[in-house]
Amino acid sequence: MASVHESLYFNPMMTNGVVHANVFGIKDWVTPYKISVLALLYEMTTSKPIALQERRRLNKLILPLQQGPDLTLGQFLKTVGECCPQTAYAVKLRLHEMADGELKDMEYFFATLPTPFRAIDSEAYKTSVVGLFMRHMLLAYNKLSFSQVYKLYKALQQYYHSQFAQPGVSPVGIPGLAADNTDMDLTSTEDTMGERMEKDELDTTPLHESDLSRGPLSQKQAEYFLARQAYLLKNDENKALKPAALQDELNNMLKFNPDFAEAHYLSYLNSMRVQDIFISTHSLLHYFDRLILSGSEGKSNGDEGYGRSLRYAALNLAALHCRFGHYQQADLALQEAIRIAQESNDHVCLQHCLSWLYTLEQMKGSDSSVLTEDSVKMAAHFCLPYLASLGIQSLVQQGAVQGKTAHELMDAMKETDILHWKHSLSELIDISLAQTTSIWRMYGKSTMAQQQAQLLLNMSSLEQVNFGVHQNNTEAFAVILCHLAELHAEQGLYGAVSEILKHLKDQFPPHTQHAKLWMLCDLKIQFDRAMNDGKYHLAEPHVTAIAALNKTEGLYRKALVLKALNRTTEAYSILQRLQLYCEKTKYTEMIIRVMLATAELHWESSGFATALPLLLQALSLARQHHLQALASETILHLAFTQLMLGVPDQALGVLHEAMEPVLAHGAVMDKGRALLLAARCQVTIAGAQVKTNPHEKSAQTLGEAAAYFSMLDCKERLRDVHYLQARLHHTLGQTAERNKCAMLFRLLDQELPAPGAAVAMRL
């Protein structure tokens, strides 16, 4: 759920005092850095024509340079040079003429600037971004006294020579640029033009915020920096400053102005990234303390502004404790927020409190459907579509767990989608598509899940794109990409899986809040691959890592490894404990998986009759909750059990019921196992008939199963298939085919360790 106090999160820049006095004691608009920007604009409007792609990059650079913090001359020239080397060289020469000349050279520069009121056909027209900046600069410069102009000139000289007076740096040339404008080698620029253009389109962050701590900032610079970082933390955390670097900059701001409330709030958001409970709580409390003390809300609303800050402070504190799993503290803070909101008759705040109340109940594992329904009704009554939609999506999620049918859930999701598009709630559209994908995967409809995932990945955001952010670093995108990685892994497309995971790691570095999603996804894929290959010694280390991210998944996979290692007693104990826990938490999918694993343990002791009631119970549960993938998996187990009990006709009949959904939506491993089991049933039926040879169809089915196992490079399963193929060809009298399959079996048997279970005793 997004931050409850949305105004604080989306626009933390309210009102506050100036961070520091201007360093030079002159107008804030006229500084050496701003003169450098002015020189850039002068060259863009008066110099010879610039290539279209270079001009486009320079135009995208104007606003960040004007609004951002002051850069050193080296940083400024490097940033401009990455867009257009020729323009950077011209700016360098212009600054060199002023800094190494006399005061009259600087005055001449201001005198020759294009007049915004007359430059109608150029970028410097009075209503353009360039024209407004020039007008501000000219007005501020003309108001300076002679002594202030002299101070500005000296500051410009110091600004220039601080960069080019260093040893080994030529005062005429620019690092990375040729000294002579006519002899510049532009071949590399032309060759890499497309690459630079693509890079700038994706990442328009030319300013080096990490160097902000070189000095204090003006109010506008500080507000721009905080607004930028807050926006990036919400939409594209990977492009924001690293947590440590951002905290250093915030501490630097607070050193000059400890009462800068917005800096405290950004510190709170930054601390949440690294799960630092102490600093996040400290910063959040300081934010509301400063907000109340500064009277920024009380000035317009009187006592109401003071009370509003208090109740939203308690609400944000409750959200913070929810995030860290401190349910008791969260409940106390939430009750406090509700009490204050009721006293003030603040219905909007009460609705936010109700939303967090049912969220808290869900986190505790309690049934919160009644609270959620009340929240949806009240949010609709008070025209709060965001909260109403979140409530409906929460009900859909609970309905999926409780076994509601797909058409009921999709009808509810359709209603929320209408609400999203009506109010242009882009973030909730993404969440809705991600949740729909998850529901289809839970139901075992992999094709529908892929369709919804691709719909989200190829959809343009409705939100205005700022700072080069394209809204592809939210939790919804992380969930979608993890689903796609798992779906590709199920089909044996491990090359595509590597590409998806690489993209996830780039977009969501380990320190970001959504990194746990791809970490768990990656570990599960590696575990399943090792288990499919029969390399249990490689799968075992992944269990500990999975358990650190998800205790339930870790326990289940630990039981699978123990079962594969023939440590039956330990595996059975873990499975029984896990089943009790999942029944308590109503985790239906895991309950069914545990039942299937327990049935496989019964097989190893030849307890096929004992496994039947367990499998029937699992099948009933899967069908009750419309879990088609797990129902098909359970039917495979039932068919194998019936085959082992000596009723292959019934086994084949049951297997045909699951064959269509398995081949349509199942994983490659499930397809191979289903075909292998069908072939064994066919051979058994044909062998039991008098004076009848096994059908040729069985050999074809085994060949298809071998093709599926080859896609996964599952050598252990291939060994089983080749063994059965050799036996089948021997029965049919096909000597050449028999010898070929026998040779393949022997090669794999020598490479692999002895099988944990006989071929005839496992699915």
Side-chain angles (χ1 to χ4, degrees), residues 17 119 156 207 300 376 385 388 394 441 505-506 553 640 653 697 761:
L156 178 63
L207 305 182
S300 58
V376 172
S394 180
R441 274 213 72 199
K505 292 173 184 178
D506 292 339
E553 287 284 346
F640 178 77
K697 187 177 180 181
M761 296 295 291

Side-chain angles (χ1 to χ4, degrees), residues 401-454:
V401 174
Q402 293 169 1
K404 298 288 185 182
T405 58
H407 71 86
E408 291 178 314
L409 300 183
M410 294 307 157
D411 285 344
M413 294 296 288
K414 185 178 71 174
E415 296 298 326
T416 62
D417 288 339
I418 293 174
L419 200 63
H420 300 159
W421 289 105
K422 180 180 178 181
H423 297 279
S424 298
L425 301 174
S426 177
E427 183 181 6
L428 292 182
I429 293 173
D430 297 345
I431 294 174
S432 176
L433 287 172
Q435 183 157 310
T436 306
T437 304
S438 301
I439 290 173
W440 282 125
R441 274 213 72 199
M442 184 190 73
Y443 284 147
K445 306 290 186 180
S446 60
T447 305
M448 293 300 299
Q450 290 184 29
Q451 182 191 49
Q452 293 295 310
Q454 293 296 338

Side-chain angles (χ1 to χ4, degrees), residues 1 6 348 351-352 355 358 375-376 379 384-392 428:
M1 184 178 290
E6 295 177 26
V348 175
Q351 280 308 114
H352 284 291
S355 298
Y358 73 70
S375 175
V376 172
L384 299 172
Y386 190 92
L387 293 180
S389 175
L390 285 177
I392 294 173
L428 292 182

Side-chain angles (χ1 to χ4, degrees), residues 206 481 498 513 585 661:
L481 290 172
S498 299
Q513 59 179 330
T585 57

Side-chain angles (χ1 to χ4, degrees), residues 169-466:
V169 180
S170 171
V172 178
I174 304 175
L177 300 176
D180 189 356
N181 192 22
T182 60
D183 296 332
M184 291 173 64
D185 183 10
L186 298 179
T187 56
S188 61
T189 303
E190 295 173 359
D191 294 339
T192 60
M193 185 71 71
E195 296 178 4
R196 287 215 313 269
M197 182 65 187
E198 182 180 357
K199 175 179 181 293
D200 290 340
E201 291 290 344
L202 295 176
D203 183 12
T204 56
T205 55
L207 305 182
H208 300 261
E209 284 101 344
S210 59
D211 294 316
L212 290 174
S213 56
R214 293 178 180 272
L217 304 176
S218 68
Q219 179 184 358
K220 290 183 179 179
Q221 290 173 339
E223 289 181 351
Y224 175 81
F225 172 75
L226 293 179
R228 176 187 177 85
Q229 292 300 317
Y231 184 87
L232 291 175
L233 286 183
K234 176 183 178 291
N235 295 293
D236 196 348
E237 188 178 340
N238 194 26
K239 290 184 179 179
L241 285 179
K242 301 298 184 210
L246 179 55
Q247 195 62 44
D248 288 341
E249 303 303 338
L250 294 173
N251 292 340
N252 182 58
M253 289 185 185
L254 294 172
K255 179 176 66 175
F256 289 98
N257 186 356
D259 295 329
F260 199 6
E262 289 75 19
H264 285 290
Y265 191 78
L266 188 59
S267 176
Y268 154 68
L269 296 178
N270 187 47
S271 302
M272 294 287 285
R273 299 165 68 188
V274 293
Q275 304 294 308
D276 191 329
I277 178 66
F278 176 77
I279 296 181
S280 55
T281 307
H282 176 82
S283 300
L284 182 63
L285 295 177
H286 272 285
Y287 167 74
F288 283 102
D289 287 344
R290 266 53 179 190
L291 197 64
I292 293 170
L293 290 174
S294 64
S296 56
E297 291 200 8
K299 288 178 182 177
S300 58
N301 299 325
D303 293 337
E304 174 59 23
Y306 176 83
R308 184 173 185 272
S309 296
L310 284 180
R311 54 183 175 269
Y312 277 107
L315 187 55
N316 275 268
L317 190 60
L320 174 65
H321 285 301
C322 276
R323 177 77 174 272
F324 288 102
H326 305 158
Y327 301 138
Q328 185 177 0
Q329 293 90 329
D331 188 58
L332 292 174
L334 200 54
Q335 295 301 326
E336 178 70 11
I338 292 173
R339 183 186 63 80
I340 302 175
Q342 286 176 337
E343 291 176 355
S344 304
N345 202 27
D346 188 344
H347 297 292
V348 175
C349 184
L350 282 172
Q351 280 308 114
H352 284 291
C353 292
L354 186 55
S355 298
W356 275 109
L357 193 59
Y358 73 70
T359 303
L360 182 60
E361 292 300 318
Q362 287 179 7
M363 290 179 174
K364 292 179 181 179
S366 305
D367 184 9
S368 60
S369 56
V370 176
L371 278 175
T372 310
E373 291 174 2
D374 291 342
S375 175
V376 172
K377 292 176 183 177
M378 296 302 295
H381 176 72
F382 290 109
C383 299
L384 299 172
Y386 190 92
L387 293 180
S389 175
L390 285 177
I392 294 173
Q393 292 191 18
S394 180
L395 285 173
V396 169
Q397 187 175 356
Q398 294 176 50
V401 174
Q402 293 169 1
K404 298 288 185 182
T405 58
H407 71 86
E408 291 178 314
L409 300 183
M410 294 307 157
D411 285 344
M413 294 296 288
K414 185 178 71 174
E415 296 298 326
T416 62
D417 288 339
I418 293 174
L419 200 63
H420 300 159
W421 289 105
K422 180 180 178 181
H423 297 279
S424 298
L425 301 174
S426 177
E427 183 181 6
L428 292 182
I429 293 173
D430 297 345
I431 294 174
S432 176
L433 287 172
Q435 183 157 310
T436 306
T437 304
S438 301
I439 290 173
W440 282 125
R441 274 213 72 199
M442 184 190 73
Y443 284 147
K445 306 290 186 180
S446 60
T447 305
M448 293 300 299
Q450 290 184 29
Q451 182 191 49
Q452 293 295 310
Q454 293 296 338
L455 182 61
L456 174 58
L457 294 177
N458 291 281
M459 185 181 67
S460 299
S461 174
L462 296 178
E463 289 194 5
Q464 183 180 1
V465 177
N466 295 321

